[in-house]
Amino acid sequence: MKFTLSWLYDHLETSATVEEICAKLNQIGLEVEGVENPGAALEPFLTARILEATQHPNADRLQVCRVDAGPGMNDVQVVCGAPNARAGLAVIFAKPGTYVPGLDITIKEGKIRGEASGGMLCSLRELGLGEESGGIAELPEETFPGQSYADFAGLDDVVIEIAITPNRGDALSVRGIARDLAAAGLGTLRPWLAEAVEGTFESPVVWENAYPEACPWVLGRTVRGVKNGPSPDWLRRKLESIGLRSISTLVDITNYFCFDLGRPLHVFDVKKLSGNRLTLCHGAGETFKALDGQDYTVSPDDCVITDANGVQSVAGIMGGEASGADEGTTDVFIECALFDPVHIALSCRRLGLSSDSSYRFERGVDQALPVAAMEAATRMIVDLCGGEASEVVSAGAPPAWQREATLRFSRVRDLGGLDVPAEESVALLEKLGFEVQDKTETHVRASVPSWRNDIAQKPVLAQGRDLPADQAARAAEGVEQIEAESDLVEEILRLKGLDAVPPVPLPPVSVVPGVALTPRQIRTARARRVLAARGLVETVGFSFVSHEDALRFGGAPDSLRLLNPIASDLDQMRPTPMVNLVAASQRNAARGWADLGLFEIGAGFSEEGQQQIAAGVRTGHTPRYPGQVSADVSLWAAKADALELLTQLGVAIEGVSATPDAPSWYHPGRSGVLRQGPKMVLGYFGELHPSLLQAEGIDVPVVGFEILLDAVPEPKRRKKSAPKLSAFQPVRRDFAFVVARDVPGEKLLKAVKGADRALVSDVSLFDLYEGEHVPEGHRSMGVEVTLQPVDKSLTDAELEAVSERIVAAVAKATGATLR
């Protein structure tokens, strides 16, 4: 919303400066978006008078002028080339140092063809104010030299632009803004009363309302014998100062009231109408040309104004070109109506059309103003264009806009944090136009002014369908009272100044802030860091793959088939991220990058649901180092990756066992399932099946692992104590056992661990051997045992005794013998 300072002064009597006005607007919630002084650039230009003009001695088209530009510059010599420069002419003078916007130059003192020139005589075009170029500007004869031209021409009017929230339709008028400023103590609101114009004849045009839902009430009046033409300077300047183009007096009057009072109006040329009746009705698919020159097709939901020839206006939004007023208009019919905001808003969106009128109707206009606005507009038309007015005709009835709201004085403090005395609260409301109906020590009941459509309106509630009717009614009534009271509290706080409301932080949920991530997100992030630290590179793949690829990894049920895939080869939800990792390995190997490690953490899908899986693969060969040859990647590397991930997720590895029943995409003899107990499956590891690699076109070794993150139990939260560190050196002993091939290695390791839990701190397998000196069907397993004494160093006898207990425990558990 834009307005000028002088326009504001029409409604507000105040001595406040521009800075004070802008500060107060911000304080009361009408945010200032911009302040512009169009005369600031013209401030250096002065009015002057040519005292003498003589021919330049060295140029035929130049004159040497003596100029009086006011005090201190009573006799300035200026060389001028304008053909109309002459003695006695009042002109516009620019002294040296003045920037000329029309020429984009700064005036300098100097000589022109040998004659001194101490300034410039300007045209309006050079000031950026017009297009004339026939010479310098000629001012009225009575002009006094030395005035600022911006002040002289009335171009020093400051333009203020404010932002309007959707609920403040009343602030879309200069008078509404003045009312708020006056209520906030920044001056006095000037009285405004429309002077009635007596109708001398019956209007030849009448209303018919066939769409009262969209337009409950409409007024009209004919003014005949008018003379339309250019607007007077005061009206033209007001509109142009806020960016509106002056069209004609009749049209400019409607635009003036739209901004001055927030009251949209429209005028029809009576002689361009067909018949004597204008009808408000539903559209019927007609196409008509609006005043903006565009064609619009209206629907049955749009409210239109029609005559005998068809649509003449989209009601409340824009009139039609066919019936618009022009220079030949002599009889005019004024429309002044109330339109439903929702209907207007929906029509604007359907038609892609908006206007200053619709912008105000959408936000609500003063519902008691139409009669007074009609009289004021009629009076201005008669005063500026002449003519005589008819009686007022109408259709429909004024809506019942009257509302009341109750305020408990204590709620200003409770809700707003300001302790405003009861008498001051009442006074502030009265300044805004509220009328007190009842007042006690604790509360006040006031009627809401007609221009405040945002206060005490019945709220729209989305209540549950199963809510009993009586309970729903009570809830709606309570909400209505609460909303109305909150509106009054907001008005009081606004006028006291929003910057005076003390800032109060929201109450904390707890002293210690809650976690920002869920346990699952924390686990996923930790798994990502662990796998990256082990040298694997993260990939991100689609959650859908080809049906054929999914079959190779455990099946592709129809329930997980995509009916409308983004690509024909991405038609199945993947059972595991391993599908994407194998495909990525194949693409890398085909391009010469056979030795790599990849991982992905993502969803795997089955008929039982979705689960989060951390999967990884290693392909090709290990790196070569001096003294160490490269070898194929082994399943032990995949197992190490899997176990390290489980360890970092808080799983006690001592309780994890491996069984040889891995899924079908793993090598049946070189893979395993990681379990915690007999039923809890934590993941898989091993070499991938040769047939799978052959189908994927991979000719290098591939090992992998999958950890089912959703199956990994949350670590138990135990109170941590200081670690017990022994002061004695550990002792390491190697044992080689000959054991049957079908005995799991983990069984042997557990037997060693259980031989003496107090001394045996760690057991690891370091060698497997089958061949010479080992019986058929058996193998040799080499284990390293770490013995950690706590109280004293171990003697040779004690070491021998521990070794014997280890051999005995292994023999009893596995039938193995010491090699």
Side-chain angles (χ1 to χ4, degrees), residues 479-537:
V479 171
E480 187 174 344
Q481 295 173 355
I482 293 171
E483 289 284 344
E485 184 177 49
S486 300
D487 290 338
L488 297 185
V489 171
E490 182 183 358
E491 292 305 301
I492 295 171
L493 295 177
R494 211 169 48 81
L495 295 184
K496 290 293 291 183
L498 295 178
D499 55 342
V501 178
V504 179
L506 292 174
V509 178
S510 64
V511 177
V512 179
V515 295
L517 300 176
T518 64
R520 178 173 179 175
Q521 290 173 323
I522 295 173
R523 174 175 296 182
T524 300
R526 182 174 299 165
R528 183 173 288 112
R529 290 196 301 269
V530 170
L531 296 177
R534 292 188 63 81
L536 301 179
V537 178

Side-chain angles (χ1 to χ4, degrees), residues 569-594:
D569 58 344
L570 299 174
D571 60 347
Q572 185 79 34
M573 302 304 293
R574 69 182 183 187
T576 169
M578 186 65 74
V579 183
N580 305 75
L581 294 176
V582 171
S585 300
Q586 187 277 330
R587 289 192 296 271
N588 279 274
R591 288 160 177 79
W593 293 94

Side-chain angles (χ1 to χ4, degrees), residues 566-644:
I566 61 173
S568 59
D569 58 344
L570 299 174
D571 60 347
Q572 185 79 34
M573 302 304 293
R574 69 182 183 187
T576 169
M578 186 65 74
V579 183
N580 305 75
L581 294 176
V582 171
S585 300
Q586 187 277 330
R587 289 192 296 271
N588 279 274
R591 288 160 177 79
W593 293 94
D595 304 334
L596 76 162
L598 306 173
F599 80 93
E600 179 178 348
I601 300 177
F605 301 87
S606 66
E607 291 186 301
E608 287 74 29
Q610 174 181 336
Q611 60 179 337
Q612 191 83 343
I613 300 175
V617 295
R618 292 184 183 273
T619 66
H621 304 82
T622 61
R624 292 187 298 175
Y625 297 104
Q628 182 177 344
V629 297
S630 177
D632 294 347
V633 292
S634 74
L635 65 93
W636 306 114
K639 184 179 182 181
D641 291 333
L643 292 178
E644 178 64 18

Side-chain angles (χ1 to χ4, degrees), residues 26 43 45-46 58 100 112 128 159 178 329 347 352 363 382 398 407 421 434 460 552 582 606 610 675 692 758 761:
N26 285 324
E43 193 68 27
F45 293 90
L46 303 174
N58 301 318
V100 182
I112 300 178
V159 180
T329 299
S347 288
R363 286 153 181 79
V382 172
L407 170 68
F434 292 85
V460 178
R552 299 189 187 104
V582 171
S606 66
Q610 174 181 336
R675 300 176 181 270
L692 171 66
S761 62

Side-chain angles (χ1 to χ4, degrees), residues 171-388:
L172 288 170
S173 67
V174 179
R175 185 164 183 81
I177 297 169
R179 183 188 298 113
D180 265 16
L181 289 172
L186 205 70
T188 304
L189 185 66
R190 299 181 188 274
W192 181 85
L193 184 64
E195 181 183 353
V197 178
E198 183 178 357
T200 59
F201 61 96
E202 291 186 1
S203 175
V205 181
V206 296
W207 284 111
E208 179 180 343
N209 191 353
Y211 200 172
E213 298 85 2
C215 179
W217 190 31
V218 60
L219 305 176
R221 190 176 213 175
T222 300
V223 182
R224 65 188 181 189
V226 300
K227 183 178 180 181
N228 196 18
S231 295
D233 287 345
W234 70 267
L235 179 56
R236 176 181 56 79
R237 286 180 180 175
K238 280 188 182 295
L239 298 180
E240 290 179 348
S241 65
I242 61 173
L244 292 180
R245 181 172 60 91
S246 177
I247 299 174
S248 67
T249 304
L250 288 173
V251 176
D252 289 354
I253 288 172
T254 63
N255 287 334
Y256 170 79
F257 282 104
C258 185
F259 284 85
D260 186 64
L261 300 178
R263 177 64 254 180
L265 301 168
H266 183 64
V267 290
F268 295 92
D269 189 328
V270 173
K271 292 185 178 180
K272 295 179 181 179
L273 297 175
S274 179
N276 65 344
R277 185 179 301 275
L278 286 176
T279 304
L280 286 152
C281 59
H282 296 265
E286 303 98 328
T287 298
F288 88 111
K289 187 180 292 294
L291 287 172
D292 62 358
Q294 302 297 318
D295 290 332
Y296 298 96
T297 301
V298 294
S299 72
D301 292 326
D302 298 319
C303 182
V304 297
I305 299 176
T306 65
D307 65 358
N309 282 336
V311 176
Q312 298 299 329
S313 171
V314 180
I317 303 177
M318 188 173 290
E321 189 179 84
S323 58
D326 54 27
E327 293 182 357
T329 299
T330 57
D331 298 341
V332 66
F333 183 74
I334 310 169
E335 169 214 326
C336 182
L338 288 177
F339 294 102
D340 177 68
V342 175
H343 280 83
I344 293 293
L346 293 177
S347 288
C348 287
R349 284 153 181 75
R350 278 191 296 267
L351 298 173
L353 177 62
S354 183
S355 65
D356 292 325
S357 295
S358 67
Y359 190 77
R360 285 156 177 78
F361 281 127
E362 287 178 3
R363 286 153 181 79
V365 296
D366 188 342
Q367 300 188 68
L369 188 61
V371 173
M374 175 64 75
E375 297 293 348
T378 304
R379 170 56 60 191
M380 186 174 288
I381 289 175
V382 172
D383 289 346
L384 299 183
C385 301
E388 58 178 333

Side-chain angles (χ1 to χ4, degrees), residues 126-142:
E126 290 163 342
L127 268 64
L129 299 177
E131 297 297 330
E132 53 86 8
S133 58
I136 56 177
E138 299 186 14
L139 302 183
E141 291 185 6
E142 62 274 13

